[in-house]
């Protein structure tokens, strides 16, 4: 089996290594684990969608109804994938001073990578961000689990940045010696 470990959904390629077998006249019965499907293919490909550890069984039956089987205990380990989810408030802000606030609703994640669509990035779980130019921006979140599994979600044109028509006036100054 290859690979034997990975993130859900995990697609595994099984190779039949049976010896002294006529592949044209034998029947193959693959069982990919409790609650999983079966296959009669010689070299099946199977996708595991649920996290867990799976044992695999192959039974070979020849044309004389003789059979032999091999059982591999805990052969496949499927890691849970995270789910990236977030919300933004407010969705319309003014430059230069109104930030957005991100609420992270991700599950099964330990690391976060944010792209705010304007060249700004963050790795905080729930960051704030201030835009410097007007426009509409996409925000992308990549959530990563402790096993390195990733999920990505993007909210397209979720933030609208408008000109706030504010002028910054300094509240302190340093006089020139001239």
């Amino acid at each position: 089996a290859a690979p034997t470990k990975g993130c859900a959904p995990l697609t595994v390629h099984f190779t039949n290594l049976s010896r002294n077998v006529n592949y044209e006249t034998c029947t193959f019965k693959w069982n990919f684990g409790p609650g999983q499907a079966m296959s009669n293919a010689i070299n099946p490909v199977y996708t595991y969608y649920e996290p867990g550890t799976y044992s695999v069984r192959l039974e070979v039956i020849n044309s004389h109804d003789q059979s032999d089987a091999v059982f591999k205990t805990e052969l496949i380990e499927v890691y849970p994938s995270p789910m990236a989810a977030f919300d933004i408030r407010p969705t319309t802000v003014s430059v230069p001073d109104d930030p957005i606030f991100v609420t992270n609703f991700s599950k099964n994640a330990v690391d976060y990578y944010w792209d705010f669509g304007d060249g700004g990035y963050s790795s905080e779980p729930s960051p704030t961000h201030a835009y410097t130019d007007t426009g509409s921006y996409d925000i992308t979140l990549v959530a990563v689990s402790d096993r390195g599994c990733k999920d990505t979600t993007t909210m397209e044109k979720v933030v609208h940045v408008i000109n706030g028509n504010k002028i910054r006036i300094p509240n302190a100054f340093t006089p020139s010696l001239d």
Side-chain angles (χ1 to χ4, degrees):
T4 58
K5 296 179 181 183
C7 305
L10 178 66
T11 299
V12 180
H13 297 263
F14 291 92
T15 303
N16 189 332
L17 300 175
S18 300
R19 293 186 306 248
N20 303 322
V21 172
N22 182 340
Y23 285 93
E24 294 176 12
T25 61
C26 287
T27 302
F28 303 94
K29 293 183 179 180
W30 292 86
N31 183 326
F32 301 112
Q36 302 302 308
M38 298 179 74
S39 174
N40 290 50
I42 295 171
N43 296 303
V45 175
Y46 185 73
T47 301
Y48 292 89
Y49 292 95
E50 296 298 321
T53 303
Y54 298 94
S55 299
V56 178
R57 183 178 191 271
L58 169 61
E59 181 180 13
V60 181
I61 305 165
N62 68 14
S63 59
H64 304 290
D65 245 3
Q66 297 169 320
S67 68
D68 194 12
V70 63
F71 185 74
K72 301 277 186 165
T73 305
E74 299 180 354
L75 178 64
I76 307 297
E77 186 176 3
V78 183
Y79 308 135
S81 290
M83 183 196 75
F86 64 94
D87 194 24
I88 302 294
R89 292 287 178 247
T91 57
T92 301
V93 293
S94 300
V95 290
D97 294 323
D98 294 338
I100 60 162
F101 299 91
V102 180
T103 304
N104 189 342
F105 295 113
S106 299
K107 304 283 186 215
N108 300 322
V110 295
D111 290 314
Y112 309 95
Y113 302 99
W114 298 92
D115 179 345
F116 294 103
D118 66 342
Y121 298 93
S122 177
S123 59
E124 296 177 25
S126 292
T128 60
H129 183 72
Y131 288 89
T132 58
D133 290 319
T134 60
S136 294
Y137 295 94
D138 300 346
I139 297 179
T140 299
L141 167 63
V142 179
V144 183
S145 74
D146 59 348
R147 297 284 192 148
C149 302
K150 297 177 183 178
D151 185 39
T152 302
T153 189
T154 299
M155 288 186 166
E156 295 182 2
K157 304 205 182 302
V158 67
V159 176
H160 307 284
V161 182
I162 59 174
N163 189 343
N165 292 323
K166 294 181 184 176
I167 299 174
R168 290 187 174 189
I169 300 174
N171 61 4
F173 68 95
T174 303
S176 172
L177 295 176
D178 293 338

